[in-house]
PDB file of all heavy atoms in Angstrom:
ATOM      1  N   ALA B  49      17.285  -0.282 -14.350  1.00 89.00           N
ATOM      2  CA  ALA B  49      18.189   0.693 -14.980  1.00 89.00           C
ATOM      3  C   ALA B  49      18.309   0.477 -16.486  1.00 89.00           C
ATOM      4  O   ALA B  49      18.441   1.437 -17.252  1.00 89.00           O
ATOM      5  CB  ALA B  49      19.562   0.607 -14.311  1.00 89.00           C
ATOM      6  N   HIS B  50      18.210  -0.782 -16.917  1.00 87.00           N
ATOM      7  CA  HIS B  50      18.420  -1.026 -18.353  1.00 87.00           C
ATOM      8  C   HIS B  50      17.272  -0.479 -19.197  1.00 87.00           C
ATOM      9  O   HIS B  50      17.365  -0.413 -20.401  1.00 87.00           O
ATOM     10  CB  HIS B  50      18.625  -2.519 -18.610  1.00 87.00           C
ATOM     11  CG  HIS B  50      17.400  -3.327 -18.305  1.00 87.00           C
ATOM     12  ND1 HIS B  50      17.029  -3.673 -17.022  1.00 87.00           N
ATOM     13  CD2 HIS B  50      16.456  -3.854 -19.104  1.00 87.00           C
ATOM     14  CE1 HIS B  50      15.919  -4.370 -17.056  1.00 87.00           C
ATOM     15  NE2 HIS B  50      15.552  -4.490 -18.299  1.00 87.00           N
ATOM     16  N   PHE B  51      16.173  -0.086 -18.556  1.00 86.00           N
ATOM     17  CA  PHE B  51      15.071   0.515 -19.322  1.00 86.00           C
ATOM     18  C   PHE B  51      15.370   1.983 -19.671  1.00 86.00           C
ATOM     19  O   PHE B  51      14.678   2.591 -20.474  1.00 86.00           O
ATOM     20  CB  PHE B  51      13.754   0.471 -18.529  1.00 86.00           C
ATOM     21  CG  PHE B  51      13.197  -0.915 -18.371  1.00 86.00           C
ATOM     22  CD1 PHE B  51      12.825  -1.399 -17.120  1.00 86.00           C
ATOM     23  CD2 PHE B  51      13.030  -1.753 -19.477  1.00 86.00           C
ATOM     24  CE1 PHE B  51      12.304  -2.673 -16.978  1.00 86.00           C
ATOM     25  CE2 PHE B  51      12.508  -3.031 -19.341  1.00 86.00           C
ATOM     26  CZ  PHE B  51      12.153  -3.486 -18.087  1.00 86.00           C
ATOM     27  N   ILE B  52      16.383   2.546 -18.998  1.00 84.00           N
ATOM     28  CA  ILE B  52      16.682   3.972 -19.133  1.00 84.00           C
ATOM     29  C   ILE B  52      18.011   4.158 -19.856  1.00 84.00           C
ATOM     30  O   ILE B  52      19.040   3.636 -19.422  1.00 84.00           O
ATOM     31  CB  ILE B  52      16.799   4.620 -17.727  1.00 84.00           C
ATOM     32  CG1 ILE B  52      15.490   4.481 -16.973  1.00 84.00           C
ATOM     33  CG2 ILE B  52      17.212   6.085 -17.816  1.00 84.00           C
ATOM     34  CD1 ILE B  52      14.358   5.243 -17.597  1.00 84.00           C
ATOM     35  N   GLU B  53      17.988   4.889 -20.933  1.00 78.00           N
ATOM     36  CA  GLU B  53      19.237   5.182 -21.629  1.00 78.00           C
ATOM     37  C   GLU B  53      19.635   6.616 -21.313  1.00 78.00           C
ATOM     38  O   GLU B  53      19.666   7.486 -22.176  1.00 78.00           O
ATOM     39  CB  GLU B  53      19.073   4.985 -23.131  1.00 78.00           C
ATOM     40  CG  GLU B  53      18.715   3.543 -23.478  1.00 78.00           C
ATOM     41  CD  GLU B  53      18.469   3.387 -24.967  1.00 78.00           C
ATOM     42  OE1 GLU B  53      18.559   4.406 -25.690  1.00 78.00           O
ATOM     43  OE2 GLU B  53      18.205   2.253 -25.401  1.00 78.00           O
ATOM     44  N   ASP B  54      19.879   6.855 -20.053  1.00 73.00           N
ATOM     45  CA  ASP B  54      20.188   8.226 -19.631  1.00 73.00           C
ATOM     46  C   ASP B  54      21.390   8.145 -18.700  1.00 73.00           C
ATOM     47  O   ASP B  54      21.314   7.634 -17.597  1.00 73.00           O
ATOM     48  CB  ASP B  54      18.969   8.828 -18.901  1.00 73.00           C
ATOM     49  CG  ASP B  54      19.230  10.259 -18.470  1.00 73.00           C
ATOM     50  OD1 ASP B  54      20.415  10.662 -18.330  1.00 73.00           O
ATOM     51  OD2 ASP B  54      18.247  10.983 -18.252  1.00 73.00           O
ATOM     52  N   GLN B  55      22.510   8.659 -19.168  1.00 74.00           N
ATOM     53  CA  GLN B  55      23.748   8.500 -18.402  1.00 74.00           C
ATOM     54  C   GLN B  55      23.750   9.318 -17.115  1.00 74.00           C
ATOM     55  O   GLN B  55      24.604   9.127 -16.262  1.00 74.00           O
ATOM     56  CB  GLN B  55      24.944   8.878 -19.264  1.00 74.00           C
ATOM     57  CG  GLN B  55      24.775  10.245 -19.886  1.00 74.00           C
ATOM     58  CD  GLN B  55      25.877  10.542 -20.911  1.00 74.00           C
ATOM     59  OE1 GLN B  55      26.656   9.658 -21.260  1.00 74.00           O
ATOM     60  NE2 GLN B  55      25.935  11.776 -21.370  1.00 74.00           N
ATOM     61  N   HIS B  56      22.769  10.202 -16.952  1.00 80.00           N
ATOM     62  CA  HIS B  56      22.733  11.030 -15.749  1.00 80.00           C
ATOM     63  C   HIS B  56      21.913  10.394 -14.624  1.00 80.00           C
ATOM     64  O   HIS B  56      21.776  10.957 -13.556  1.00 80.00           O
ATOM     65  CB  HIS B  56      22.171  12.413 -16.065  1.00 80.00           C
ATOM     66  CG  HIS B  56      23.005  13.154 -17.060  1.00 80.00           C
ATOM     67  ND1 HIS B  56      24.289  13.557 -16.778  1.00 80.00           N
ATOM     68  CD2 HIS B  56      22.752  13.529 -18.339  1.00 80.00           C
ATOM     69  CE1 HIS B  56      24.790  14.165 -17.842  1.00 80.00           C
ATOM     70  NE2 HIS B  56      23.882  14.165 -18.811  1.00 80.00           N
ATOM     71  N   VAL B  57      21.371   9.243 -14.912  1.00 88.00           N
ATOM     72  CA  VAL B  57      20.633   8.516 -13.868  1.00 88.00           C
ATOM     73  C   VAL B  57      21.507   7.355 -13.396  1.00 88.00           C
ATOM     74  O   VAL B  57      21.940   6.545 -14.201  1.00 88.00           O
ATOM     75  CB  VAL B  57      19.282   7.997 -14.423  1.00 88.00           C
ATOM     76  CG1 VAL B  57      18.588   7.125 -13.388  1.00 88.00           C
ATOM     77  CG2 VAL B  57      18.399   9.165 -14.837  1.00 88.00           C
ATOM     78  N   THR B  58      21.734   7.276 -12.078  1.00 90.00           N
ATOM     79  CA  THR B  58      22.679   6.306 -11.542  1.00 90.00           C
ATOM     80  C   THR B  58      21.963   5.044 -11.073  1.00 90.00           C
ATOM     81  O   THR B  58      21.011   5.128 -10.285  1.00 90.00           O
ATOM     82  CB  THR B  58      23.409   6.924 -10.329  1.00 90.00           C
ATOM     83  OG1 THR B  58      23.941   8.183 -10.707  1.00 90.00           O
ATOM     84  CG2 THR B  58      24.526   5.992  -9.854  1.00 90.00           C
ATOM     85  N   ALA B  59      22.402   3.904 -11.542  1.00 91.00           N
ATOM     86  CA  ALA B  59      21.834   2.637 -11.087  1.00 91.00           C
ATOM     87  C   ALA B  59      22.480   2.214  -9.778  1.00 91.00           C
ATOM     88  O   ALA B  59      23.678   2.390  -9.585  1.00 91.00           O
ATOM     89  CB  ALA B  59      22.054   1.558 -12.147  1.00 91.00           C
ATOM     90  N   CYS B  60      21.700   1.685  -8.874  1.00 91.00           N
ATOM     91  CA  CYS B  60      22.268   1.138  -7.640  1.00 91.00           C
ATOM     92  C   CYS B  60      21.292   0.126  -7.054  1.00 91.00           C
ATOM     93  O   CYS B  60      20.155  -0.009  -7.520  1.00 91.00           O
ATOM     94  CB  CYS B  60      22.580   2.244  -6.632  1.00 91.00           C
ATOM     95  SG  CYS B  60      21.134   3.094  -6.008  1.00 91.00           S
ATOM     96  N   SER B  61      21.711  -0.591  -6.031  1.00 92.00           N
ATOM     97  CA  SER B  61      20.812  -1.551  -5.402  1.00 92.00           C
ATOM     98  C   SER B  61      19.692  -0.797  -4.675  1.00 92.00           C
ATOM     99  O   SER B  61      19.838   0.381  -4.351  1.00 92.00           O
ATOM    100  CB  SER B  61      21.587  -2.403  -4.389  1.00 92.00           C
ATOM    101  OG  SER B  61      21.894  -1.606  -3.261  1.00 92.00           O
ATOM    102  N   ILE B  62      18.614  -1.492  -4.424  1.00 90.00           N
ATOM    103  CA  ILE B  62      17.498  -0.853  -3.713  1.00 90.00           C
ATOM    104  C   ILE B  62      17.941  -0.392  -2.331  1.00 90.00           C
ATOM    105  O   ILE B  62      17.573   0.692  -1.881  1.00 90.00           O
ATOM    106  CB  ILE B  62      16.298  -1.823  -3.630  1.00 90.00           C
ATOM    107  CG1 ILE B  62      15.662  -1.969  -5.023  1.00 90.00           C
ATOM    108  CG2 ILE B  62      15.260  -1.323  -2.632  1.00 90.00           C
ATOM    109  CD1 ILE B  62      14.431  -2.852  -5.074  1.00 90.00           C
ATOM    110  N   ASN B  63      18.765  -1.191  -1.671  1.00 89.00           N
ATOM    111  CA  ASN B  63      19.218  -0.780  -0.344  1.00 89.00           C
ATOM    112  C   ASN B  63      20.067   0.485  -0.402  1.00 89.00           C
ATOM    113  O   ASN B  63      19.889   1.399   0.417  1.00 89.00           O
ATOM    114  CB  ASN B  63      20.032  -1.904   0.313  1.00 89.00           C
ATOM    115  CG  ASN B  63      19.119  -2.991   0.853  1.00 89.00           C
ATOM    116  OD1 ASN B  63      17.916  -2.754   0.986  1.00 89.00           O
ATOM    117  ND2 ASN B  63      19.679  -4.151   1.131  1.00 89.00           N
ATOM    118  N   ALA B  64      20.968   0.560  -1.363  1.00 90.00           N
ATOM    119  CA  ALA B  64      21.804   1.755  -1.510  1.00 90.00           C
ATOM    120  C   ALA B  64      20.929   2.967  -1.816  1.00 90.00           C
ATOM    121  O   ALA B  64      21.103   4.063  -1.267  1.00 90.00           O
ATOM    122  CB  ALA B  64      22.831   1.545  -2.626  1.00 90.00           C
ATOM    123  N   LEU B  65      19.969   2.744  -2.662  1.00 91.00           N
ATOM    124  CA  LEU B  65      19.024   3.800  -3.043  1.00 91.00           C
ATOM    125  C   LEU B  65      18.275   4.329  -1.810  1.00 91.00           C
ATOM    126  O   LEU B  65      18.099   5.535  -1.636  1.00 91.00           O
ATOM    127  CB  LEU B  65      18.072   3.202  -4.077  1.00 91.00           C
ATOM    128  CG  LEU B  65      16.986   4.000  -4.738  1.00 91.00           C
ATOM    129  CD1 LEU B  65      16.730   3.470  -6.141  1.00 91.00           C
ATOM    130  CD2 LEU B  65      15.721   3.913  -3.913  1.00 91.00           C
ATOM    131  N   ALA B  66      17.854   3.406  -0.955  1.00 89.00           N
ATOM    132  CA  ALA B  66      17.139   3.817   0.257  1.00 89.00           C
ATOM    133  C   ALA B  66      18.041   4.639   1.178  1.00 89.00           C
ATOM    134  O   ALA B  66      17.590   5.558   1.871  1.00 89.00           O
ATOM    135  CB  ALA B  66      16.596   2.580   0.993  1.00 89.00           C
ATOM    136  N   ARG B  67      19.346   4.315   1.198  1.00 90.00           N
ATOM    137  CA  ARG B  67      20.277   5.037   2.075  1.00 90.00           C
ATOM    138  C   ARG B  67      20.575   6.446   1.545  1.00 90.00           C
ATOM    139  O   ARG B  67      20.796   7.364   2.321  1.00 90.00           O
ATOM    140  CB  ARG B  67      21.600   4.272   2.188  1.00 90.00           C
ATOM    141  CG  ARG B  67      21.570   3.136   3.208  1.00 90.00           C
ATOM    142  CD  ARG B  67      22.979   2.683   3.564  1.00 90.00           C
ATOM    143  NE  ARG B  67      23.761   2.328   2.394  1.00 90.00           N
ATOM    144  CZ  ARG B  67      23.731   1.128   1.798  1.00 90.00           C
ATOM    145  NH1 ARG B  67      22.951   0.175   2.275  1.00 90.00           N
ATOM    146  NH2 ARG B  67      24.475   0.867   0.754  1.00 90.00           N
TER     147      ARG B  67
END
Side-chain angles (χ1 to χ4, degrees):
Chain B
H50 66 282
F51 290 129
I52 299 295
E53 298 176 359
D54 181 338
Q55 52 188 9
H56 299 294
V57 174
T58 308
C60 66
S61 72
I62 288 182
N63 282 344
L65 182 149
R67 278 196 306 276

